[in-house]
Amino acid sequence: MGNATLHSIHVHPVKAFRGVSPREAAVEPWGLAGDRRWALIDDGGKVVTQREEPRLALAAAEPLPGGGVRLSAAGRTPLTVPVPAPGGTVTVTVFGTKVEAVAADDAAHAWCTGQLGRDVRLVHLDDPATRRPIDPDHALPGETVSFADGYPLLVTTLASLDALNSLVARGDHAQEGPLPMNRFRPSVVVAGTEPWAEDGWSGLAIGAVAFRVAKACGRCVVTTTDQSTAARGAEPLHTLARHRRIGRSLVFGQNLVPRSTGTIRVGDPVRILA
């Protein structure tokens, strides 16, 4: 691991939308600054993801100073959405957990509804420090998370993707490979490791910022979604089911929780911590 480095950083301001890949990012207790602070909800308050709406991959969100976002998609006029003013909240359901959030303005709702062709609303997580605790089975007291699936960050490695693609190439759906890393929607990607080295990590430091490894990341149908077309296939779940199963989960990558805050930068050294 002596030559491992941070290969790339990925921030997704709106959950399930395409994001951005900055050269550096601030790490906050609940994740990368600006990451997944926004999400879409349906008329029942449930968060909408690519699981049921793969077309969300075709919309992009760019973070703006102050926490706002710029929404864009092919053939549509981009929209700048400011952080909503403090006030009343709406109850949002994220994988069965109730979370309070603040609704964006009517223009944002109209834009997002037009993108999906169904009634959805854009909401903002105004207070990530208190709104949503991490799963207590894998959390320390006081740890919280944004609208990410379950944990503040997800780390993947280039070597493991190469190894997975080698398995895909020898499988029943070889024509679907090689798969790009964006299928897995990581927060940080590490270069210079052995394949599957992350399976043995309990903690790591990226530059001066320390993280603990909470658990391996169980993968879902989103990984089968081409992030440029929204088309779905069989991979990588078909191959993960044969080679990367832990209990009932098909795993790729590890979920991280920050142990400290600071700024990480592409090229930073990555060290394994006990």
Side-chain angles (χ1 to χ4, degrees):
M1 268 296 287
N3 296 320
T5 59
L6 181 59
H7 173 77
S8 59
I9 301 168
H10 306 275
V11 177
H12 298 88
V14 179
K15 183 177 180 66
F17 283 37
R18 289 203 307 273
V20 296
S21 299
R23 299 290 297 175
E24 64 179 50
V27 177
E28 299 173 335
W30 42 84
L32 299 179
D35 186 66
R36 296 172 173 92
R37 290 287 297 275
W38 301 80
L40 296 186
I41 59 173
D42 63 17
D43 55 8
K46 181 181 177 182
V47 166
V48 180
T49 76
Q50 286 189 34
R51 289 165 176 81
E52 63 272 18
E53 285 287 1
R55 292 175 297 171
L56 288 174
L58 306 181
E62 177 186 352
L64 299 175
V69 287
R70 181 180 184 269
L71 309 180
S72 61
R76 306 200 64 212
T77 302
L79 179 71
T80 295
V81 184
V83 172
T89 61
V90 295
T91 302
V92 174
T93 303
V94 189
F95 302 121
T97 301
K98 303 292 186 182
V99 182
E100 294 301 308
V102 182
D105 59 27
D106 290 344
H109 302 332
W111 195 96
C112 294
T113 293
Q115 179 66 18
L116 285 187
R118 57 178 280 201
D119 186 26
V120 290
R121 302 174 67 194
L122 185 66
V123 296
H124 180 254
L125 187 64
D126 59 331
D127 185 9
T130 64
R131 294 291 191 203
R132 187 183 174 212
I134 294 174
D135 178 353
D137 290 343
H138 300 280
L140 300 178
E143 289 180 339
T144 61
V145 62
S146 65
F147 282 133
D149 278 4
Y151 298 89
L153 287 90
L154 169 66
V155 60
T156 60
T157 69
L158 293 180
S160 294
L161 180 63
D162 288 345
L164 177 62
N165 276 325
S166 292
L167 295 170
V168 170
R170 299 196 295 270
D172 299 334
H173 304 277
Q175 73 280 3
E176 293 187 23
L179 304 175
M181 190 66 87
N182 66 10
R183 291 287 189 97
F184 302 94
R185 299 178 65 82
S187 308
V188 288
V189 180
V190 175
T193 72
E194 293 298 316
W196 315 120
E198 63 272 23
D199 290 353
W201 298 349
S202 58
L204 71 154
I206 301 174
V209 184
F211 304 84
R212 70 175 183 87
V213 177
K215 65 184 291 287
C217 184
R219 309 314 307 219
C220 70
V221 70
V222 172
T223 60
T224 71
T225 308
D226 186 319
Q227 296 294 299
S228 62
T229 66
R232 283 199 167 138
E235 295 293 2
L237 293 186
H238 179 81
T239 296
L240 291 176
R242 297 181 63 186
H243 299 280
R244 297 286 299 165
R245 184 187 292 272
I246 298 179
R248 297 171 59 186
S249 295
L250 312 182
V251 302
F252 186 87
Q254 298 285 333
N255 291 299
L256 303 180
V257 182
R259 287 166 47 182
S260 62
T261 57
T263 298
I264 58 174
R265 297 173 177 85
V266 170
D268 276 350
V270 177
R271 296 177 292 114
I272 300 309
L273 305 176

